[in-house]
Amino acid sequence: MNKGVVYLVGAGPGDPKLITVRGLECLRRSDVVVYDRLASPRLLRYMKEGARKIYVGKLPDRHTMKQEEINQLLVDLALEGHTVTRLKGGDPTIFGRVGEEAELLQENGVSFEIVPGITSAIAVPAYAGIPVTHRDLASSLSIVTGHESPEKLDRSIHWDKVTNATGTLIFLMGVAKIGYIAEQLIRHGKPATTPVALIRWGTRVEQQTIVGTLESIERIVKEANFQPPAVIVVGDVVLQRDKLKWYEQKPLFGVRVLVTRARAQASDLADRIEELGGEPCELPVIETREPREAAAVEAIRTALADAASYNWIMFTSVNGVEYFFNWLDRFNVDIRRFHAARIAAVGPRTAEALRKRGLIANQLPAKFQAEGLIEQLEGQLKPGEKVLLPRGDLAREILPRELKAKGLVPVELDVYETVIADSQDEQAFEWIRNREIHAITFTSSSTVTNLLEVLRRNGFEDPVAQLAGIDVASIGPVTSKTASEAGLSVTIEPEDATIEALVEALVQHQITKRSKADPS
């Protein structure tokens, strides 16, 4: 068997988008990913299908796997012929023990590559608004480990040289020793009034920053019950924070949002949440697919074969557009055969999906629901006209019912079906279990019912009770009605049933909450 290869990859400090392009390439091609708790779990969604993931992370009071065992694990996996990514928080060469891992790989003849990452020593302060160097304040910096006993610190750190050699001091993993560190720095010449900042879980939704001086920081840490992991910054650059704390000023900072829509559609919503400072937690509880039963496929073929007979085609979703054209391709049906049909669309996204295919929708309702479409077309619909409705199997009956009431002939065509998604994310369940989700977005009634069912299937006896207290953002009244009937309390609903309006409503809700919490 051929030997595999091991990529020793720096994942960055927490924000998954801070991984390097090369690191992401390695992650995507690997058969096995070995990761720890400082690497963002959201990076694991980039693993190729069927790849294994092995958690070897360390907690402050518990080591899941000893370093020597991790070293040997990498060797064993490579000797079995696997391509392996060892995903490490920050940069693997800065207190990441990558040298030990690489050395054993080399001794066993295993090919390896060290992929640098963005170290928390510079990224975390930057996210807190603290540049580690500044032309007027600090032209150099030192990065020091603080994760040792005082005796080991004294043996590994020459306090007199460190204290006076550089402008900015960065201590990693030193929260528990902050009092001793401050004491030594003062003893060796740092003024007691030197500014100090501690940033916990920097670049992540949990980011928390406290600021003090060398003489006050230990007391502040104890009063705040400030826990690791955190980066400690000592120096005048800390004073820049008041002017430069950009990340914490974003409107969704500190908000973890559960995104329940299908994975293929979730990226736009997730990206928008990230841009606004929130953290999307993607838990797709639905997926769409082509109907698989022979009778359903034959019904589609028959309906498309009768293309010239339709007076209208009414699209009610982007999925309806996508799957409709997929079926046209499958059955080799030219769109020009629908030459007699006028085209209507519900919602701007649906109209845009049509526009990309060179089709301009005749009508676009002000209300992005089926009711709005009927209202907008009032006076244009004529009895006896034949209307094709390409949509999903769970679509509401109001549109065909209203068309029939007006004397038209609707042809309901289920071009796709909605099912509960198979693949789920254990990290999402952990966040829900620990009540670390702050808001949930529902973009359809099926996302509501399926989320509750997915939670039941994964050990949540009372999903509604588990979600109590979390802000529920519903895209529109129909979805809100489903959520309310299921026992959930909807706190956010936009005027327009669009993703953009949903995100804006979520932002306004957070702004209102913060203003109430801090009237000043």
Side-chain angles (χ1 to χ4, degrees):
M1 179 181 295
N2 294 328
K3 294 178 183 177
V5 60
V6 177
Y7 299 106
L8 304 164
V9 177
D15 183 337
K17 290 192 174 181
L18 292 182
I19 193 171
T20 64
V21 173
R22 179 56 179 162
L24 197 58
E25 288 176 347
C26 297
L27 183 61
R28 283 174 167 156
R29 70 174 57 170
S30 292
D31 307 309
V32 185
V33 176
V34 179
Y35 67 105
D36 58 43
R37 77 172 184 140
L38 296 181
S40 171
R42 290 168 57 213
L43 286 172
L44 302 180
R45 65 183 173 179
Y46 296 109
M47 294 170 57
K48 70 180 182 182
E49 187 174 353
R52 290 170 56 196
K53 56 183 179 182
I54 301 175
Y55 177 68
V56 295
K58 302 169 184 177
L59 298 175
D61 59 346
R62 174 174 59 87
H63 283 201
T64 300
M65 186 178 290
K66 293 181 179 179
Q67 183 62 51
E68 293 75 13
E69 296 172 333
I70 296 174
N71 301 345
Q72 190 60 51
L73 173 65
L74 298 177
V75 171
D76 294 342
L77 289 170
L79 292 179
E80 291 171 6
H82 299 297
T83 298
V84 182
T85 284
R86 169 69 171 110
L87 200 60
K88 305 167 75 72
D91 179 273
T93 66
I94 298 182
F95 307 130
R97 305 186 72 170
V98 73
E100 300 169 43
E101 295 173 350
E103 186 174 357
L104 191 61
L105 292 169
Q106 192 275 334
E107 290 174 0
N108 285 272
V110 175
S111 297
F112 66 89
E113 179 180 328
I114 299 175
V115 181
I118 298 177
T119 175
S120 60
I122 60 173
V124 167
Y127 267 59
I130 302 172
V132 293
T133 64
H134 187 283
R135 185 175 67 174
D136 299 325
L137 302 174
S139 57
S140 60
L141 72 150
S142 295
I143 302 174
V144 186
T145 178
H147 190 54
E148 301 285 0
S149 66
E151 294 77 15
K152 288 185 179 179
L153 282 176
D154 288 342
R155 288 197 300 269
S156 61
I157 300 174
H158 299 287
W159 290 105
D160 56 335
K161 294 182 174 60
V162 167
T163 301
N164 299 293
T166 61
T168 302
L169 298 176
I170 305 290
F171 291 88
L172 303 183
M173 304 171 290
V175 176
K177 311 296 187 303
I178 185 61
Y180 185 77
I181 291 170
E183 177 187 336
Q184 292 303 309
L185 292 176
I186 293 173
R187 178 178 297 175
H188 289 85
K190 280 286 186 186
T193 56
T194 301
V196 182
L198 275 73
I199 309 108
R200 181 176 186 268
W201 285 123
T203 80
R204 295 168 46 133
V205 71
E206 298 94 345
Q207 178 171 307
Q208 180 183 1
T209 306
I210 58 175
V211 176
T213 62
L214 285 177
E215 62 183 349
S216 66
I217 195 63
E218 182 179 18
R219 172 182 55 79
I220 293 172
V221 166
K222 289 180 178 178
E223 290 176 352
N225 192 27
F226 201 80
Q227 300 296 318
V231 172
I232 302 169
V233 186
V234 180
D236 289 339
V237 291
V238 172
L239 300 175
Q240 293 291 300
R241 170 172 160 75
D242 286 340
K243 294 184 290 185
L244 304 182
K245 50 182 179 181
W246 61 275
Y247 181 49
E248 294 166 25
Q249 302 299 322
K250 291 196 171 189
L252 291 183
F253 169 73
V255 181
R256 180 177 287 122
V257 184
L258 191 70
V259 178
T260 57
R261 66 191 323 216
R263 191 174 299 280
Q265 297 176 312
S267 59
D268 286 348
L269 177 55
D271 287 345
R272 187 68 181 127
I273 290 168
E274 275 189 324
E275 289 172 5
L276 294 167
E279 179 178 358
C281 170
E282 294 182 40
L283 182 65
V285 297
I286 63 172
E287 63 180 34
T288 58
R289 67 186 187 191
E290 294 181 351
R292 298 179 179 180
E293 293 186 6
V297 175
E298 179 60 24
I300 295 172
R301 188 196 66 77
T302 301
L304 297 182
D306 201 21
S309 68
Y310 300 107
N311 304 103
W312 289 91
I313 308 177
M314 296 184 181
F315 293 96
T316 57
S317 69
V318 173
N319 278 333
V321 175
E322 301 286 349
Y323 281 94
F324 176 75
F325 278 88
N326 288 346
W327 287 110
L328 290 183
D329 182 61
R330 177 168 172 177
F331 291 123
N332 198 31
V333 177
D334 192 321
I335 187 63
R336 290 173 294 184
R337 292 181 58 188
F338 292 88
H339 61 87
R342 300 175 67 183
I343 298 174
V346 173
R349 286 294 184 92
T350 307
E352 179 61 24
L354 289 167
R355 182 182 292 273
K356 288 179 179 178
R357 289 167 172 80
L359 300 175
I360 308 300
N362 291 89
Q363 300 293 337
L364 182 64
K367 299 178 182 177
F368 304 135
Q369 298 171 6
E371 294 90 332
L373 183 61
I374 295 293
E375 180 181 324
Q376 192 113 348
L377 294 176
E378 189 68 38
Q380 301 182 52
L381 301 174
K382 300 176 182 179
E385 288 185 325
K386 192 175 179 182
V387 184
L388 183 63
L389 301 174
R391 53 198 203 143
D393 61 326
L394 300 183
R396 295 189 301 145
E397 291 302 313
I398 185 168
L399 184 54
R401 185 171 65 244
E402 290 295 321
L403 290 171
K404 287 179 182 178
K406 292 182 178 296
L408 287 86
V409 181
V411 178
E412 301 177 57
L413 193 61
D414 292 345
V415 293
Y416 69 93
E417 59 185 16
T418 303
V419 297
I420 294 181
D422 293 329
S423 58
Q424 303 301 341
D425 185 351
E426 288 300 326
Q427 179 64 68
F429 295 137
E430 182 178 345
W431 278 331
I432 293 172
R433 192 173 292 109
N434 295 336
R435 299 187 181 277
E436 294 175 340
I437 295 291
H438 308 107
I440 306 172
T441 58
F442 291 122
T443 54
S444 65
S445 291
S446 56
T447 59
V448 176
T449 55
N450 284 13
L451 174 62
L452 298 178
E453 178 59 27
V454 164
L455 293 179
R456 291 188 192 96
R457 292 182 182 184
N458 286 273
F460 293 87
E461 294 183 4
D462 189 347
V464 173
Q466 188 67 41
L467 301 177
I470 300 176
D471 286 329
V472 173
S474 164
I475 199 166
V478 175
T479 303
S480 296
K481 184 173 183 290
T482 303
S484 297
E485 290 176 348
L488 298 172
S489 178
V490 176
T491 51
I492 302 165
E493 181 187 304
E495 292 186 9
D496 296 330
T498 66
I499 295 299
E500 292 82 0
L502 181 65
V503 172
E504 181 58 31
L506 180 60
V507 167
Q508 290 304 317
H509 181 75
Q510 292 301 322
I511 291 174
T512 300
K513 285 180 65 174
R514 287 173 185 165
S515 64
K516 289 181 179 179
D518 184 13
S520 61

